């Protein structure tokens, strides 16, 4: 019931209200996980699932001897290899759509010849070998470090035992080879030595900013090509600009607002002003799908409606319907009940122990005259 169409459709509206500050996310997540009056929670579902074999769930049989798996670095095919204990793994091209991975296509990928490392040439500056490779993160070029000669063992005489012992060799710092990913417009099979050397030389110094005196660099990153001036960056249009842009072009790019172009192109469609808010209406692509907004009210486009078919009248109607619903009512916060201080019980007083009376010695009485006379005669 947590993946029904009705639930997911309502969930989108709930998430929109949370994003707009009209609903509380902690309360919604609590109900989703622990359950509420409307539906059971995810906690009750996963508690009764029993043991889960993650590998089995993460495997899809494409053919009798071919299995599709999802690994840490993306999807791959697993098929029998030359060694029965070690299956062969073949990465799936990123451009291949899921519905195109038929049994015949999987067999074609598995039977394709393995592309080995291709030696492009030698770096004329240091004589190191430049090689083109295809790795788990895509094709790249690298500069191989020369193999170090084996270190001969040295022996020293142990003064205590008189035996020869091998002297521990000093640890040698391992030099990490330079690598560089090739551009998406390049072919690994045809990359030449000049192109490989240019890629390995990145980042490229475009010039020095005359105002700050800081170097401007052009390089390729995780999110595409960009310029870097200290901590200030600017995105480039294409990877080719990394080698083509000059100092004047870089300064012109830095003179523009950083997010000016991005903000201007964020709307999928634009209309006239809304008759109620008197603000321009736009259709934008949000985190949970396309929606209509006037900058104040956001209305999700219903499932099944095409953005191209939505005109000004329909956009105004969606915003009006959203306003009619009003903001989501938050449950009243529970007031903390003031706890009355507990009544103090009377403390029973301990009886004071009475000290025993000290008897004073009785005063000696004067001896009788007869006893005194008897004592005198003795």
């Amino acid at each position: 019931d947590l993946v029904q169409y009705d639930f997911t459709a309502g969930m989108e509206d709930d998430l929109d209200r949370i994003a707009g500050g009209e609903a509380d996310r902690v309360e919604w997540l609590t109900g989703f996980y622990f359950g509420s009056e409307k539906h059971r929670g995810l906690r009750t579902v996963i508690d009764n699932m029993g043991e889960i074999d993650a590998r089995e769930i993460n495997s899809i049989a494409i053919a009798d001897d071919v299995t599709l798996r999802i690994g840490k670095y993306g999807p791959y095919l697993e098929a029998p290899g030359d060694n029965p204990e070690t299956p062969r793994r073949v990465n799936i091209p990123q451009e291949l759509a899921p519905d195109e991975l038929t049994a015949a296509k999987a067999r074609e990928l598995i039977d394709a010849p393995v592309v080995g490392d291709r030696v492009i040439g030698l770096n004329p500056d240091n004589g190191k070998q430049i090689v083109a490779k295809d790795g788990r993160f895509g094709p790249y070029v690298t500069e191989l470090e020369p193999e170090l000669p084996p270190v001969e063992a040295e022996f020293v005489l142990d003064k205590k035992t008189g035996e020869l012992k091998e002297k521990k060799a000093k640890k040698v710092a391992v030099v990490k080879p330079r690598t560089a990913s090739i551009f998406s417009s390049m072919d690994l099979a045809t990359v030449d030595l000049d192109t490989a050397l240019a890629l390995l030389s990145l980042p490229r110094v475009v010039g020095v900013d005359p105002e700050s005196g800081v170097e401007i660099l052009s390089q390729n990153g995780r999110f595409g090509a960009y310029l870097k001036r200290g901590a200030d960056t600017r995105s480039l249009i294409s990877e080719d600009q990394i080698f083509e842009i000059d100092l004047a072009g870089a300064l012109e790019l830095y003179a523009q607002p950083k997010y000016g172009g991005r903000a201007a192109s964020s709307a999928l469609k634009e209309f006239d002003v809304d008759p109620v808010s008197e603000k321009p209406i736009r259709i934008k692509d949000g985190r949970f799908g396309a929606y209509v907004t006037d900058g104040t009210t956001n209305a999700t486009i219903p499932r099944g409606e095409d953005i191209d078919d939505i005109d000004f009248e329909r956009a105004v109607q969606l915003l009006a319907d959203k306003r009619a619903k009003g903001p989501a009512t938050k449950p009243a916060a529970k007031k903390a009940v003031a706890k009355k201080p507990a009544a103090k019980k009377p403390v029973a007083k301990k009886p004071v122990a009475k000290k025993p009376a000290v008897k004073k010695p009785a005063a000696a009485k004067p001896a009788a005259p007869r006893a005194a006379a008897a004592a005198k005669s003795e």
Side-chain angles (χ1 to χ4, degrees):
D1 52 347
L2 295 180
V3 292
Q4 296 287 338
Y5 286 125
D6 294 339
F7 177 82
T8 54
M11 183 179 69
E12 291 182 358
D13 295 335
D14 294 340
L15 295 177
D16 286 340
R17 286 193 289 270
I18 293 173
E22 302 171 359
D24 182 60
R25 63 185 180 91
V26 176
E27 180 185 357
W28 188 91
L29 287 171
T30 302
F32 177 80
Y33 188 69
F34 293 103
S36 64
E37 297 177 355
K38 297 180 181 179
H39 59 82
R40 58 175 179 164
L42 179 64
R43 175 67 180 271
T44 60
V45 178
I46 62 178
D47 281 348
N48 300 320
M49 293 185 69
E51 295 294 331
I52 298 175
D53 187 350
R55 182 177 177 83
E56 182 181 356
I57 293 177
N58 209 26
S59 304
I60 302 173
I62 304 298
D64 294 338
D65 58 344
V66 181
T67 305
L68 170 67
R69 301 191 192 280
I70 311 298
K72 183 178 180 180
Y73 304 104
Y76 65 93
L77 295 173
E78 192 172 88
D82 298 334
N83 186 353
E85 297 181 357
T86 306
R88 185 185 173 194
R89 295 181 177 182
V90 179
N91 292 330
I92 296 177
Q94 292 184 356
E95 64 273 9
L96 184 67
D99 62 341
E100 296 175 358
L101 186 59
T102 60
K105 183 63 177 178
R107 187 69 59 190
E108 178 186 341
L109 294 173
I110 294 172
D111 296 338
V114 179
V115 179
D117 300 344
R118 182 173 68 90
V119 179
I120 300 176
L122 298 177
N123 188 338
D125 295 334
N126 53 27
K128 295 180 180 179
Q129 206 173 50
I130 308 297
V131 179
K133 293 187 175 186
D134 191 5
R136 61 178 58 180
F137 301 110
Y140 67 98
V141 293
T142 182
E143 185 180 63
L144 299 182
E145 294 293 329
E147 294 184 1
L148 298 176
V151 180
E152 295 183 1
E154 295 184 15
F155 295 89
V156 293
L157 182 64
D158 191 338
K159 295 180 180 180
K160 294 182 179 180
T161 61
E163 297 177 357
L164 290 175
K165 288 188 176 182
E166 186 177 352
K167 184 179 180 181
K168 291 184 179 180
K170 295 182 180 179
K171 291 184 179 180
V172 180
V174 179
V175 179
K176 190 175 181 180
R178 291 192 301 166
T179 60
S181 299
I182 69 171
F183 293 172
S184 57
S185 58
M186 299 177 181
D187 185 3
L188 185 64
T190 58
V191 172
D192 54 15
L193 182 59
D194 293 337
T195 304
L197 293 175
L199 291 172
L200 292 172
S201 66
L202 295 176
R204 166 179 166 254
V205 179
V206 178
V208 178
D209 185 2
E211 294 184 2
S212 62
V214 179
E215 285 185 339
I216 299 177
L217 306 176
S218 63
Q219 58 194 76
N220 212 355
R222 182 180 179 184
F223 304 104
Y226 67 99
L227 294 177
K228 183 178 181 182
R229 183 182 62 184
D232 194 5
T233 60
R234 291 291 189 278
S235 297
L236 295 174
I237 298 176
S238 65
E239 294 172 319
D240 295 333
Q241 275 194 304
I242 295 176
F243 297 113
E244 295 173 356
I245 194 167
D246 55 6
L247 180 59
L251 294 176
E252 181 180 353
L253 188 59
Y254 271 104
Q256 301 174 6
K258 187 169 186 178
Y259 301 107
R262 186 181 302 176
S265 61
S266 61
L268 303 177
K269 237 178 180 183
E270 296 187 5
F271 301 105
D272 292 335
V273 296
D274 182 80
V276 177
S277 64
E278 297 183 352
K279 295 180 180 179
I281 301 175
R282 294 182 175 88
I283 296 180
K284 293 187 176 183
D285 190 10
R287 183 179 179 185
F288 306 105
Y291 63 98
V292 180
T293 180
D294 62 350
T296 303
T297 305
N298 299 334
T300 303
I301 296 177
R303 189 185 300 274
E305 290 194 28
D306 193 352
I307 297 176
D308 296 334
D309 297 336
I310 295 179
D311 53 9
F312 174 70
E313 288 74 14
R314 178 56 178 159
V316 171
Q317 183 63 41
L318 288 173
L319 291 175
D321 294 343
K322 186 62 182 290
R323 293 191 193 98
K325 288 183 179 179
T329 56
K330 294 185 180 180
K334 296 181 180 180
K335 295 182 179 180
V337 179
K339 295 183 179 180
K340 296 181 179 180
K344 295 183 179 180
K345 295 181 179 181
V347 180
K349 296 183 179 180
K350 295 181 180 180
V352 180
K354 295 182 178 180
K355 295 182 180 180
V358 180
K359 294 183 179 181
K360 296 182 179 180
K365 294 182 179 181
R370 186 180 297 175
K376 188 176 179 184
S377 63
E378 290 179 359

